Amino acid sequence: GAGVSQSPRYKVAKRGQDVALRCDPISGHVSLFWYQQALGQGPEFLTYFQNEAQLDKSGLPSDRFFAERPEGSVSTLKIQRTQQEDSAVYLCASSLSRFGTDEQYFGPGTRLTVT
Amino acid sequence: GESVGLHLPTLSVQEGDNSIINCAYSNSASDYFIWYKQESGKGPQFIIDIRSNMDKRQGQRVTVLLNKTVKHLSLQIAATQPGDSAVYFCAENLNALNFGKGTSLLVTP
């Protein structure tokens, strides 16, 4: 069956450009998470959606980061005025339950390189 | 802040041997832990989980042990295979996942 998909898989942006990263969760999954994974590190939580509601955005590193999930399905993570420190793999995960206490299924990630 | 961490960054084992990957956590309120496997270019993949009301849980070739007294958990992989080579993360599930840095497991023939 279809898992979590993300696009693009790779993105190269010049410093100062805006980027948009897309996540297609597993159909019917209520919870959606974004994580940032720097090279050689574990994923770090960015933000969490329950359906279309963004319930936790405490992990977003700055106001240049913005996420949305307007119809409770597809989600987009937008980074404005990209900086070199934004270079990382951005992972999306979804889970069936409302509270995210069950298994989270991860997508393959989008590798963002800011030059 | 409180965190989940791993004792060893790399582990090299021979094919057929058993592997043990350790993890320490500091948040005594954590009650749900998960081990993930991440291969190069892929997202983390669920291996096994354990809740704090258990000390041990077994899956296919994998066992997770939880010692709440010393806030330690371990992942044991039996008869390690080349396909087990990957980075392994423990994570505490506090709604969002709090990952450790990971242990790179290398299986040599």
Side-chain angles (χ1 to χ4, degrees), chain A residues 3-6 9 23-26 33 37 89-94 104-110, chain B residues 38 41-45:
Chain A
V4 178
S5 61
Q6 294 186 243
R9 291 293 316 278
C23 172
D24 286 78
I26 294 173
F33 302 81
Q37 186 173 23
V89 174
Y90 290 86
L91 294 162
C92 175
S94 69
Q104 294 185 25
Y105 296 84
F106 282 83
T110 294
Chain B
Q38 188 173 26
K42 297 183 179 179
Q45 177 186 6

Side-chain angles (χ1 to χ4, degrees), chain A residues 28-32 48-55 69-73 98:
Chain A
H29 276 198
V30 170
S31 295
L32 186 146
Y48 161 63
F49 290 86
Q50 186 181 107
N51 295 309
E52 69 278 5
Q54 189 175 19
L55 299 187
R69 194 187 185 197
E71 298 179 359
S73 178
R98 294 177 61 190

Side-chain angles (χ1 to χ4, degrees), chain B residues 23-46:
Chain B
C23 179
Y25 65 96
S26 56
N27 187 344
S28 57
S30 298
D31 63 358
Y32 181 34
F33 303 89
I34 307 166
W35 281 99
Y36 282 91
K37 172 185 181 183
Q38 188 173 26
E39 296 174 285
S40 181
K42 297 183 179 179
Q45 177 186 6
F46 175 95

